[in-house]
Structures are given as structure tokens and as C-alpha cells.
């Protein structure tokens, strides 16, 4: 939809400046790579796999890193522990089997200052690549076993004259995943491309932006990103390329936002007095500052003639639901219906209970609509919704997927946005005529970053937790302390508290298919060193051996929804004291008497997930404890556990998570329908992002359709990016 819009504004006006000239330049940049020296059909195939088909593609195939070959480290100066680049001559080489039975290939290298062993594991064929007397460059981690060694290094065999200006005596580029193409080969191609084609690149950025942001020209940038004359120029080149990429993203956001604000008229609500005011008065607690600010933002939005499009961000337990309930009351007070959509049935059910409790006394009629209910009841609810007898519907996806038709939908609330795609959001919107939309998320990210990702939403952030909350104390303990952990839980139970025990799996690994670790697309299995616990075995063990004197409940995602409901009710009522569960418990569950959570195999969960899980406790007046039981197998897993142990601030955790997982994984930018980010790193380069955002929004404010002459190339670039995506 959006890309069509962009295309239409591009096509509607003839693009004039130097049309012909630019076309010629583009034709040259589109020269097929197959006309390059040294590119036969085989190589072409390999290059295509890297997405390189034409001259311009190589120019934009940016190096992954650089090696300073104007400056090698002398073997005598190598330090264990760091990755370093060395150059030397091969003295001897051969395959060996070590004492432990590992097969290694080794070469011994000298550079006048000393000798060093280079070692590769399980690659005996390497002996055919190297030969005695060759000059090689190695890059890799230097470690000390009995002597200093460079382990599994990347290598490049130098040919001919060392003074060779492409590969030596300069800062050289090293490219990504070259499959069967050597670095040397790719670098050679890049060198040709840079020298022959750089000059045909067209500068898209208007001069005033280049000047204001002190950016180098695109030709200089591309030349120096491949073959920098020094590190300062490399930095300038990188900044320039990333700035353009971010500017395009921000322009797209700015135009999208402008479009969404322009067209639609929303439903202007009366916000003063009535049930909404009564609602606020009846609350058993004072709203926090953050909640009040969010409520005020919402009042402003809902009373305006434009539909609300707001993201409500707040850490787990910060009290977002109350704010949503208030917004729902406003829409009902104005004679409209509201819907609240949750990612899981358990959560929908809990929201239903909470809202019923809060709103029924005000004469507001709340209905629950989830997959688990029987057909007749469902039909009845559908018809009640359609006739407007129901004021507020709480449900799961069933709400949007099913036949739910609203009489007058005024507000749609979506809980835990990170589980929903944009498509669902717009589907939900279509259930009404430009209803207000409030999206809630417990994945707290800094406002600026959020603006970038949810660029079309306004944002309210609840920073603080309600007063009187005791911070959750988190301990990471190793398997050996299991007994002590159980003793501790017993003490808490004896005081009348309740406990969660979380396991990653439902059945033992052998029986269950893939271990289901929700909302994670990467593999934590490698981080596990001890047995992976499953709820079915755990519940037996706890009932029979560890806590025979207490009632132990069981909850997992494969249970029927009636069953889940019963289990949750028993736990809420305190009939069961311990609840053994998978991460179905992850979001939103609110049981104030639970004060301990034991997380088994904590190394197998992501940071955000651990934080969410732990957010299930510490909701009442009691001191609460989260115990992470884990013998992690990797440094990264250990890092996660230490992070969780060390901070309770969801914002900090989100940032750490972002840094560990990378933004692609974290946000799934693709699903937002925005151009993919290829060059920059939205975390590391956030300063650049902010500058680009400022430029882009200012630009669109002054020249909404990018019609000024110096913006034409930007517009074209924007459109072509979206075309490429289709
Ligand atoms: P979340 O933001 O994680 O969705 P909830 O809305 O579930 O948080 O709220 C967590 C708990 O805090 C609930 O039991 C809720 O009733 C309570 N709560 C919300 N706001 C306040 C407040 N201002 N003071 C005290 N308790 C509050
Ligand atoms: Mg919630």
C-alpha cells in the first residue's frame, strides 16, 4: 500500500534534471559483472549468491572488516587472547594427531622476529593449499597453549610482489561469507569496480544536507569504504553511507506518518465526566506519574478528530492494563465499543477478569472471546457484539480472525505488541471505522529507538513501578545448590507464599518434537550444559520427592484451555502452592501471593524472556525472589545470567538484549514493511539515526511530496527501494 503511494508520487511528476545524463550513468553502473576480468560462469554463479550481479552491487558490497596491512604485528610482539594479523613465510607444515586425538593441520611461520604455529582443526586438505616458502597473511586469535599459537586463522596467500598495491601496504577490506571466492578475488573485483565505476555514482543527497551534516560525497565514501587511505577517511565514508541509509528509512517513516495523519478522520470522544471519571475515582490505588501522563496523552488523542495511534510502553508490572481500562471506559462512555486483544488465552482470560472487576460496577458489559469456548456460546457472543449489547470484548486472535463484527468499534487495544505483526494491527482496525488504537508493550526500548521502529505511532512511556513494590531479588545458582534452593522455597511456602517452577520443555527431549521456546528464533540449546528439564517429570518429582506436603499444579501449552483455566484458578485461590509451568506463564499473569520463581535451565531463555518471566512475581507486598538455576555452557549465556542478576531495569535489559541479539532479531524490521537496514547498526549508530531523523522529518514538513528539485533524487531513491522489496 505504502509502496504504491510512493510510486504514485514519483510517477505523477516528470523527473527532469539531467534525465538523460543520469540514465547513461545508471546504465554503466548496471554493467553486468560477467564483463569483469576473471568472471567466468562458475564465478558468476558464486557472485550471484552474494547478491552481486552488476557493477553497482560490488560498490555496495561493503567490507565486513579491515586489516591494517600497512602495519602488521611482529610475531615477537603478539599477545595471547586477542585477534591479530601477521605476515610471514611458511617454514614447515603438516597434518598431525594430538594427544587427545584431534586432527590438526599446522604450519610454522616466521617473520624475522620470531616463529609461530598456526593451527586448524579437522581440515587436513589445507595442506594442498599451502606450500613451503610461501608468504602468507594470517588473521586470528592468538592463544597460549604450551607455546603461542594462532588458532583457526583466516588466511591469504600472497602472490608475487609484496608491494602489490591492492592487497598489501594499505588498509585492506575483508568481505563477508565469500563461499568459494577468495578474499583476494573479491578484493580484486572491488578494486576494479572502485576505480572504474565509482565516478558514475550519482549524488542523491541535496547539497544543503551534505553541508549541514558535514558528509563526504558519495564517490569519496564508496572509494574509501573499500580502500580507505586512512582510518579517518574510513570513518567519514562509513558515516556518510549509513547516514544516507538511515535518511531513507526516516523519510519513509515521515511520509508514512504524514499520510496516516492526513487522510483519516477519527471519532472524536468526550473525555470529561461520566463513567471515565467514576472509574478513576473508584481505583483502589493512586495512579503513578507515568500512568497519569499516559492517561492524559490518551485523553488528548481520543478527544481529537484524528484517530489515536499510540504505543504504551512500560516495564512488566508497571500497570499498563489500568491505563487501557481507562481508555476503554472513555470509548464506552461515548457510546462505542472497545476491544482488547491479548497474545495468549491465559492472558486474555486474566484481562477479562480484571476488566470485569473494574468495569462491571460501572454498568459496562465485558465479554470474553477466545478459541476455547464452545460454538453456541461463541455465536451468542458474536451476535451480542454485533447488536452492541457487549461494550467491551476481550480476546485472542479469534477476535479478528473470527466472524466478530462490531456495531460501533471506537477503540482497539493490543496487548504485548511484540507478539503481533503490523498486519494484525491493521486487520483489527478494519473492524471499525478508523477506531482509536492503543498498543501496549512490555519490551521497553528507549523512546528514540522506539520512534524509529514504530515510527508511525506516538509513544507514552511509564517509567516507574507502582509505589511500594519491593524489587525482585535475583540469584543465579548452579546445579550443585539445588537442595538449598528447595529448602529456601519450603521456607517461603511455610510463610504462606506460593512459588513458580519454570522448565523449558513439556516432555523429555526424546518424546517431544522440537523444544518450543516461544518468540525466539535463535538457538539456545548450544548454551546448555546440564540436563534440560521438562514439566512432566518435574511435577512428578516435586510432588513425590521434594514437596510431598504441598499441592503442586501443572501448566503447559498443550493442555486444553478449560484445563488451563482450572489450573490457574486453583493457583490463584491458593489451592495449589507450587505451579510447575512452561513459559506459557510468560506474559501478564498476576498473582500477588507468589513470591518465588525458580527457573530451570535459565541459560536456555533470552534476556527479555527471563525478565518477563520474573515479572510474574514481586507483584504484591512481599519480598520476592527469582532463582536462576543454571550451569551455562557458553560465555554468552553466562553474560545473560549476570545481566539478569545484576539489574531489574527493563530498559537496561532491553538494551543489553538488543546488543546481544542484534536489531534484526530483536525487532524484525522486515515485518514493519520498512526498508531493510544493510549497512548501519541502529544501536551503535544511533547518533547518526537521530540526525537523519531530524533531517528527514524537517524535510517532509517543508516539502511534503518531495517536489523541490533538489529532493527529486531522494524521491526516486525512495521509490526504487520500495520497488526492490516487492
Ligand atoms: P503490566 O504493565 O505488566 O501489564 P499490570 O497492568 O498487569 O502491569 O499491573 C500489575 C499490577 O499492578 C496489577 O495487579 C495492578 O492492579 C497493579 N497496579 C497497577 N497500577 C497500580 C498503581 N498505580 N498502584 C498500585 N498498584 C497498581
Ligand atoms: Mg500486561
Amino acid at each position: 500500500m505504502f509502496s504504491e503511494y510512493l510510486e504514485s508520487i514519483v510517477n505523477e511528476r516528470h523527473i527532469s534534471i539531467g534525465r538523460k545524463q543520469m540514465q547513461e550513468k545508471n546504465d554503466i553502473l548496471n554493467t553486468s559483472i560477467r564483463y569483469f576480468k576473471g568472471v567466468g560462469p562458475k564465478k558468476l554463479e558464486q557472485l550471484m549468491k552474494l547478491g552481486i550481479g552488476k557493477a553497482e552491487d560490488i560498490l555496495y558490497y561493503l567490507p565486513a572488516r579491515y586489516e591494517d596491512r600497512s602495519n602488521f604485528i611482529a610475531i615477537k610482539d603478539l599477545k595471547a587472547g586477542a585477534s591479530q594479523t601477521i605476515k610471514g613465510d611458511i617454514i614447515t607444515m603438516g597434518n598431525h594427531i594430538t594427544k587427545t586425538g584431534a586432527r590438526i593441520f599446522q604450519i610454522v611461520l616466521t617473520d624475522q622476529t620470531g616463529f609461530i604455529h598456526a593451527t586448524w582443526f579437522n581440515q587436513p586438505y589445507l595442506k594442498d593449499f599451502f606450500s613451503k616458502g610461501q608468504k602468507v597473511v594470517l588473521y586470528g586469535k592468538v592463544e597460549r597453549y604450551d607455546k603461542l599459537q594462532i588458532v583457526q586463522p583466516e588466511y591469504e596467500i600472497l602472490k608475487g610482489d609484496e608491494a602489490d598495491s591492492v592487497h598489501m601496504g594499505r588498509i585492506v577490506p575483508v568481505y563477508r561469507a565469500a563461499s568459494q571466492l577468495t578474499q583476494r578475488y573479491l578484493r580484486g573485483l572491488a578494486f576494479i569496480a572502485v576505480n572504474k565505476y565509482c565516478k558514475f555514482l550519482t549524488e542523491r543527497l541535496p547539497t544543503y544536507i551534505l553541508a549541514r551534516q558535514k558528509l563526504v560525497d558519495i564517490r569519496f565514501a564508496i572509494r574509501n569504504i573499500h580502500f580507505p587511505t586512512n582510518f579517518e577517511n574510513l570513518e567519514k565514508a562509513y558515516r556518510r553511507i549509513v547516514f544516507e541509509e538511515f535518511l531513507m528509512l526516516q523519510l519513509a517513516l515521515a511520509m508514512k506518518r504524514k499520510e496516516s495523519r492526513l487522510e483519516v478522520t477519527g471519532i472524536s470522544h468526550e473525555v470529561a465526566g461520566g463513567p471515565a471519571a467514576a472509574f478513576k475515582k473508584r481505583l483502589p490505588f493512586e495512579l503513578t506519574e507515568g500512568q497519569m501522563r499516559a492517561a492524559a496523552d490518551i485523553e488528548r488523542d481520543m478527544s481529537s478528530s484524528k484517530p489515536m495511534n499510540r504505543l504504551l510502553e512500560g516495564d512488566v508490572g508497571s500497570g499498563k492494563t489500568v491505563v487501557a481500562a481507562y481508555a476503554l471506559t472513555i470509548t464506552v462512555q461515548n457510546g462505542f465499543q472497545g476491544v482488547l486483544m491479548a497474545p495468549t488465552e491465559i492472558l486474555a482470560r486474566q484481562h477479562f477478569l480484571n476488566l470485569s472487576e473494574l468495569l462491571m460496577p460501572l454498568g459496562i458489559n465485558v465479554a470474553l472471546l477466545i478459541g476455547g469456548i464452545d460454538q453456541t456460546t461463541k455465536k451468542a457472543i458474536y451476535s451480542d457484539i454485533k447488536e452492541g449489547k457487549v461494550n467491551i470484548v476481550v480476546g485472542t486472535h479469534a477476535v479478528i480472525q473470527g466472524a466478530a463484527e462490531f456495531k460501533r468499534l471506537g477503540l482497539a487495544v493490543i496487548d504485548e505488541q511484540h507478539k503481533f505483526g503490523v498486519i494484525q494491527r491493521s486487520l483489527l482496525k478494519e473492524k471499525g471505522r478508523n477506531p482509536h488504537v492503543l498498543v501496549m508493550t512490555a519490551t521497553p526500548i528507549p523512546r528514540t529507538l522506539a520512534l524509529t521502529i514504530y515510527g508511525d505511532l506516538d509513544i507514552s512511556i511509564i517509567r516507574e513501578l507502582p509505589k511500594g513494590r519491593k524489587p525482585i531479588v535475583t540469584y543465579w545458582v548452579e546445579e550443585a545448590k539445588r537442595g538449598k534452593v528447595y529448602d529456601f522455597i519450603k521456607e517461603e511456602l511455610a510463610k504462606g507464599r506460593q512459588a513458580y517452577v519454570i522448565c523449558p520443555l513439556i516432555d523429555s527431549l526424546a518424546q517431544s518434537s522440537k523444544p518450543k521456546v516461544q518468540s525466539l528464533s535463535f538457538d539456545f540449546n548450544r548454551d546448555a550444559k546440564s540436563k534440560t528439564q521438562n514439566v512432566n517429570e518435574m511435577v512428578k518429582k516435586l510432588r513425590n520427592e521434594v514437596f510431598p506436603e504441598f499441592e503442586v499444579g501443572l501448566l503447559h501449552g498443550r493442555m486444553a484451555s478449560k484445563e488451563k483455566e482450572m489450573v490457574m484458578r486453583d493457583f490463584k485461590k491458593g489451592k495449589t502452592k507450587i505451579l510447575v509451568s512452561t513459559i506459557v506463564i510468560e506474559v501478564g499473569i498476576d498473582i500477588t501471593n507468589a513470591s518465588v520463581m525458580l527457573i530451570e535451565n535459565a541459560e536456555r531463555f533470552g534476556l527479555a524472556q527471563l525478565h518477563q518471566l520474573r515479572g510474574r512475581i514481586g507483584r504484591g507486598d512481599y519480598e520476592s525472589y527469582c532463582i536462576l538455576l543454571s550451569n551455562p555452557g557458553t560465555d554468552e549465556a553466562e553474560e545473560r545470567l549476570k545481566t539478569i542478576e545484576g539489574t531489574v531495569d527493563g530498559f537496561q535489559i532491553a538494551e543489553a538484549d538488543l546488543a546481544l541479539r542484534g536489531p534484526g532479531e530483536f525487532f524484525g524490521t522486515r515485518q514493519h514493511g520498512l526498508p531493510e537496514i544493510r549497512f548501519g547498526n541502529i544501536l551503535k549508530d544511533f547518533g547518526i539515526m537521530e540526525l537523519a531523523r531530524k533531517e528527514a522529518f524537517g524535510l517532509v514538513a517543508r516539502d511534503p511530496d518531495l517536489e523541490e528539485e533538489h529532493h527529486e533524487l531522494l524521491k526516486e531513491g525512495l521509490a526504487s527501494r520500495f520497488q526492490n522489496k516487492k
Side-chain angles (χ1 to χ4, degrees):
M1 293 167 300
F2 180 50
S3 52
E4 276 159 30
Y5 166 69
L6 275 175
E7 272 170 52
S8 75
I9 59 167
V10 169
N11 294 335
E12 92 196 4
R13 191 159 167 265
H14 180 62
I15 292 173
S16 53
I17 356 161
R19 224 324 167 212
K20 190 155 162 263
Q21 219 182 353
M22 218 182 87
Q23 193 53 50
E24 278 167 15
K25 283 186 181 176
N26 280 342
D27 287 348
I28 296 174
L29 287 169
N30 283 334
T31 305
S32 165
I33 188 87
R34 95 173 63 119
Y35 301 119
F36 276 55
K37 198 169 140 233
V39 182
K42 273 223 185 86
K43 291 276 199 277
L44 184 67
E45 204 186 305
Q46 300 277 326
L47 286 165
M48 292 300 272
K49 275 191 197 146
L50 297 178
I52 302 174
K54 47 194 170 78
E56 188 174 13
D57 297 337
I58 312 185
L59 294 180
Y60 280 96
Y61 191 72
L62 304 193
R65 59 179 185 84
Y66 300 84
E67 272 176 21
D68 189 354
R69 292 190 183 172
S70 52
N71 203 359
F72 291 101
I73 299 191
I75 289 178
K76 74 173 169 48
D77 295 331
L78 287 174
K79 293 197 176 63
S83 290
Q84 290 149 88
T85 309
I86 54 174
K87 183 179 72 173
D89 300 307
I90 299 181
I91 302 180
T92 59
M93 51 181 249
N95 281 306
H96 308 285
I97 292 185
T98 66
K99 275 173 265 171
T100 56
R103 300 204 311 161
I104 58 171
F105 171 72
Q106 271 193 327
I107 64 180
V108 179
L109 205 71
T110 183
D111 73 345
Q112 324 299 332
T113 75
F115 299 88
I116 189 165
H117 280 75
T119 307
W120 288 267
F121 296 96
N122 297 317
Q123 297 176 63
Y125 51 84
L126 280 181
K127 82 172 187 341
D128 299 329
F129 280 106
F130 295 104
S131 54
K132 242 165 91 172
Q134 265 176 346
K135 220 175 242 322
V136 292
V137 170
L138 301 181
Y139 170 80
K141 193 158 179 193
V142 175
E143 285 175 28
R144 183 180 296 283
Y145 292 111
D146 36 340
K147 50 190 175 289
L148 228 45
Q149 293 194 20
I150 186 160
V151 184
Q152 298 276 73
E154 287 174 34
Y155 53 88
E156 189 172 328
I157 298 161
L158 302 180
K159 291 189 187 131
D161 192 357
E162 251 187 57
D164 172 346
S165 65
V166 182
H167 307 283
M168 277 301 128
R170 62 158 75 234
I171 302 166
V172 295
V174 180
Y175 297 90
R176 207 163 305 139
S179 59
Q180 287 169 50
L181 304 167
T182 62
Q183 282 301 330
R184 202 183 174 77
Y185 179 82
L186 280 172
R187 196 179 300 130
L189 279 188
F191 197 73
I192 298 174
V194 164
N195 282 325
K196 250 178 108 174
Y197 295 95
C198 241
K199 55 177 172 284
F200 297 108
L201 288 168
T202 308
E203 180 58 70
R204 287 190 186 286
L205 300 187
T207 322
Y208 74 90
I209 292 185
L210 290 177
R212 184 153 57 205
Q213 300 297 341
K214 300 195 175 56
L215 298 171
V216 296
D217 165 78
I218 187 65
R219 294 168 211 98
F220 180 94
I222 292 292
R223 193 180 300 279
N224 275 277
I225 200 85
H226 289 281
F227 296 96
T229 39
N230 55 46
F231 281 106
E232 200 188 327
N233 284 341
L234 173 58
E235 167 75 34
K236 283 184 186 159
Y238 179 79
R239 206 179 107 82
R240 152 64 211 236
I241 291 166
V242 171
F243 186 93
E244 178 170 338
E245 173 168 56
F246 286 175
L247 184 76
M248 289 301 188
L249 171 76
Q250 294 295 345
L251 277 174
L253 285 170
M255 295 176 82
K256 187 171 169 185
R257 183 200 216 14
K258 183 201 59 159
E259 178 201 29
S260 70
R261 304 281 140 122
L262 273 184
E263 281 175 8
V264 281
T265 341
I267 312 152
S268 172
H269 280 26
E270 178 63 51
V271 295
F279 170 86
K280 269 190 176 167
K281 255 194 223 125
R282 282 184 30 110
L283 281 179
F285 43 70
E286 299 248 310
L287 291 179
T288 63
E289 292 253 330
Q291 285 173 319
M292 283 199 279
R293 246 181 292 118
D297 289 341
I298 287 168
E299 284 174 359
R300 206 172 341 98
D301 288 352
M302 293 183 77
S303 58
S304 119
S305 59
K306 299 261 149 82
M308 169 164 75
N309 248 314
R310 184 166 291 278
L311 177 71
L312 179 56
E313 249 190 50
D315 206 346
V316 198
S318 60
K320 296 182 290 291
T321 318
V322 182
V323 177
Y326 175 60
L328 288 164
T329 317
I330 294 176
T331 209
V332 173
Q333 155 177 312
N334 282 269
F336 288 86
Q337 291 164 297
V339 57
L340 193 162
M341 196 158 108
T344 64
E345 274 184 21
I346 294 184
L347 198 52
R349 201 171 269 124
Q350 182 183 292
H351 276 315
F352 170 69
L353 292 177
N354 286 342
L355 289 183
S356 303
E357 201 177 312
L358 285 166
L359 304 179
M360 295 284 204
L362 303 171
I364 294 173
N365 198 355
V366 188
L368 178 67
L369 191 55
I370 52 177
I373 51 183
D374 65 83
Q375 283 307 318
T376 3
T377 320
K378 211 185 263 175
K379 274 218 184 94
I381 298 175
Y382 278 145
S383 94
D384 283 353
I385 296 171
K386 196 169 173 186
E387 284 165 31
K389 285 185 198 152
V390 166
N391 302 116
I392 291 171
V393 184
V394 180
T396 53
H397 304 65
V399 179
I400 45 167
Q401 283 159 352
E405 264 180 65
F406 292 83
K407 187 167 180 227
R408 302 176 80 196
L409 183 62
L411 169 67
V413 180
I414 305 175
D415 195 14
E416 306 300 346
Q417 156 75 13
H418 64 289
K419 304 242 155 138
F420 287 107
V422 169
I423 297 178
Q424 275 140 329
R425 212 204 300 162
S426 61
L427 264 177
L428 191 57
K429 274 201 239 177
E430 279 158 21
K431 292 273 174 195
R433 206 170 298 146
N434 300 328
H436 296 292
V437 174
L438 180 67
V439 176
M440 303 196 285
T441 178
T443 307
I445 46 179
R447 178 190 294 270
T448 32
L449 211 50
L451 279 173
T452 301
I453 300 310
Y454 305 107
D456 55 330
L457 299 177
D458 294 307
I459 300 184
S460 302
I461 300 183
I462 306 178
R463 277 259 162 209
E464 70 277 63
L465 296 180
K467 274 196 218 78
R469 285 281 166 79
K470 297 240 170 64
I472 301 160
V473 181
T474 302
Y475 296 110
W476 161 33
V477 298
E478 298 204 308
E479 187 61 40
K481 296 238 176 88
R482 181 178 287 276
K484 286 227 171 78
V485 170
Y486 285 148
D487 290 344
F488 177 75
I489 295 177
K490 257 178 216 160
E491 279 171 33
E492 284 294 301
L493 297 179
K495 284 187 217 157
R497 301 289 80 74
Q498 288 165 284
Y500 295 102
V501 175
I502 310 295
C503 304
L505 301 177
I506 299 179
D507 295 310
S508 70
L509 264 176
Q511 294 166 40
S512 66
S513 48
K514 266 207 177 140
K516 208 169 172 197
V517 183
Q518 260 179 25
S519 78
L520 291 175
S521 49
F522 66 126
D523 182 19
F524 284 121
N525 292 348
R526 64 193 164 84
D527 294 339
K529 220 168 91 185
S530 46
K531 174 189 153 117
T532 306
Q533 305 287 351
N534 68 79
V535 288
N536 277 329
E537 278 175 19
M538 184 59 69
V539 77
K540 274 187 216 140
K541 193 180 123 191
L542 297 186
R543 274 174 190 158
N544 300 331
E545 298 164 28
V546 188
F547 302 109
E549 67 273 42
F550 295 110
E551 288 286 320
V552 184
L554 169 66
L555 185 75
H556 61 71
R558 261 190 251 146
M559 287 165 46
S561 88
K562 276 256 158 58
E563 221 179 326
K564 283 190 225 164
E565 191 179 351
M566 255 167 51
V567 171
M568 284 313 297
R569 204 184 303 138
D570 285 350
F571 192 60
K572 181 142 197 161
K573 280 195 301 206
K575 207 174 138 215
T576 42
K577 299 296 179 198
I578 299 171
L579 185 59
V580 177
S581 170
T582 56
I583 55 157
V584 292
I585 208 81
E586 183 185 355
V587 249
I589 298 303
D590 190 28
I591 290 167
T592 46
N593 190 45
S595 67
V596 189
M597 175 174 283
L598 169 60
I599 303 179
E600 299 274 355
N601 305 102
E603 75 282 349
R604 301 197 29 153
F605 298 101
L607 270 179
Q609 212 166 17
L610 288 171
H611 185 62
Q612 286 270 338
L613 278 170
R614 145 176 96 172
R616 301 308 107 227
I617 55 173
R619 304 192 137 235
D621 303 328
Y622 311 109
E623 201 73 64
S624 294
Y625 307 90
C626 175
I627 301 160
L628 310 168
L629 203 59
S630 173
N631 293 22
T634 65
D635 291 351
E636 199 197 307
E638 198 173 313
E639 191 65 31
R640 286 201 300 274
L641 296 174
K642 282 187 183 151
T643 304
I644 279 289
E645 195 181 35
T647 175
V648 287
D649 180 344
F651 282 81
Q652 264 181 41
I653 287 165
E655 281 194 47
D657 200 20
L658 197 57
L660 281 172
R661 286 209 269 163
E665 193 97 50
F666 190 88
F667 293 119
T669 36
R670 237 153 293 154
Q671 72 159 5
H672 295 274
L674 297 171
E676 202 180 330
I677 293 175
R678 290 165 61 202
F679 309 132
N681 174 326
I682 55 175
L683 248 202
K684 260 195 4 246
D685 302 324
F686 200 72
I688 307 179
M689 182 70 90
E690 282 186 305
L691 293 173
R693 182 173 176 89
K694 236 171 141 184
E695 274 308 343
F697 276 71
L699 195 156
V700 170
R702 291 188 309 273
D703 180 16
D705 289 327
L706 308 189
E707 298 204 299
E708 291 169 19
E709 214 165 85
H710 56 180
H711 293 154
E712 269 186 11
L713 292 174
L714 280 180
K715 176 154 68 167
E716 211 180 45
L718 208 50
S720 74
R721 253 169 232 234
F722 279 92
Q723 269 160 8
N724 289 343
K725 276 185 54 84
K726 277 196 300 191

